Amino acid sequence: PEQVAEAILRHMKTQFRESQDNELRPCKITYTAVISVYCSHGGSWAAAERASELLDELEGLYNESQLDSYLPNAKTFGAVLSVFAKTAAEGSARSRQSTHDGSGDSLWQMTERLLERMEKLYLKTGSSELRPSDILYGQVFRVLASGRDPEAASHALSLMKKLKAMKLHKDMNNGFGQNVHLDSTMYAYLI
């Protein structure tokens, strides 16, 4: 399924370049759909890396064009987090220790950077589509609960404190934490 999704994306890119028909332009919806395929059928370190690459590509298109159709949204970031969570659940040895390229980043470090990236993009653009939600942070807790990081409990407690602060100051940063509510699912993952 991943190869088929990637082939369709390549075909769309080619058709758009050749025709300049905006209806054929791959957009955040298209990229999010391809990333979601990696979640549904992935669970490997390669799937996590490819999901990140697709997000990089989409954000690069946005930075070049400033077109809202290329601006990743919370669903796009959530799809990448879903791939990370599935990778953690699959127990890939590399997800426990380091990345494929040997940089030493754990899946949790990649997850933290992804959240920081989303927050920065939200603050830069002010797009309400980038506001995080309970579902998104539930995925973050799922990454922690599913992985084999010996510091997972510590990371989860720190994240829980951050979410409480976000909720307390929900109007700061243009309402970034407005849609985040600690819920029983997050607490269950924490446990």
Side-chain angles (χ1 to χ4, degrees):
E2 297 92 334
Q3 292 173 349
V4 172
E6 292 272 3
I8 293 169
L9 179 61
R10 279 191 305 275
H11 179 73
M12 284 184 72
K13 290 177 187 178
T14 301
Q15 292 297 309
F16 173 67
R17 273 193 305 273
E18 290 174 359
S19 69
Q20 293 301 305
D21 180 354
N22 285 336
E23 295 297 317
L24 297 173
R25 178 194 316 257
C27 63
K28 62 185 157 197
I29 297 168
T30 313
Y31 278 85
T32 303
V34 174
I35 293 167
S36 294
V37 170
Y38 279 95
C39 176
S40 299
H41 301 281
S44 67
W45 194 260
E49 288 178 328
R50 184 61 184 142
S52 293
E53 289 169 3
L54 287 164
L55 177 60
D56 291 345
E57 186 177 318
L58 180 61
E59 192 174 348
L61 289 168
Y62 172 74
N63 289 334
E64 288 172 17
S65 68
Q66 296 298 300
L67 292 172
D68 282 343
S69 62
Y70 289 136
L71 179 62
N73 58 28
K75 289 179 183 178
T76 311
F77 282 91
V80 175
L81 284 170
S82 292
V83 177
F84 287 2
K86 187 161 186 175
T87 300
E90 292 293 322
S92 166
R94 286 187 281 188
S95 71
R96 293 179 198 157
Q97 301 298 326
S98 65
T99 61
H100 178 66
D101 64 7
S103 67
D105 288 345
S106 69
L107 206 49
W108 171 245
Q109 290 166 319
M110 291 173 62
T111 300
E112 277 188 311
R113 278 199 309 276
L114 188 72
L115 288 173
E116 289 170 12
R117 182 175 171 184
M118 188 179 79
E119 184 173 3
K120 286 179 184 175
L121 193 56
Y122 170 75
L123 293 173
K124 175 183 169 184
T125 64
S127 172
S128 62
E129 291 184 0
L130 280 164
R131 281 193 188 125
S133 66
D134 302 345
I135 295 168
L136 188 110
Y137 277 99
Q139 290 288 48
V140 174
F141 280 102
R142 188 172 152 219
V143 169
L144 285 168
S146 300
R148 305 292 188 264
D149 187 335
E151 299 296 319
S154 175
H155 297 316
L157 286 172
S158 293
L159 182 59
M160 190 69 73
K161 288 177 186 174
K162 177 183 177 177
L163 293 178
K164 285 180 180 180
M166 283 172 63
K167 188 62 185 163
L168 184 62
H169 305 289
K170 63 183 174 188
D171 296 327
M172 291 178 62
N173 294 331
N174 295 324
F176 184 73
Q178 189 173 29
N179 299 326
V180 177
H181 309 279
L182 295 172
D183 63 14
S184 58
T185 302
M186 291 180 202
Y187 279 104
Y189 282 131
L190 177 61
I191 292 168

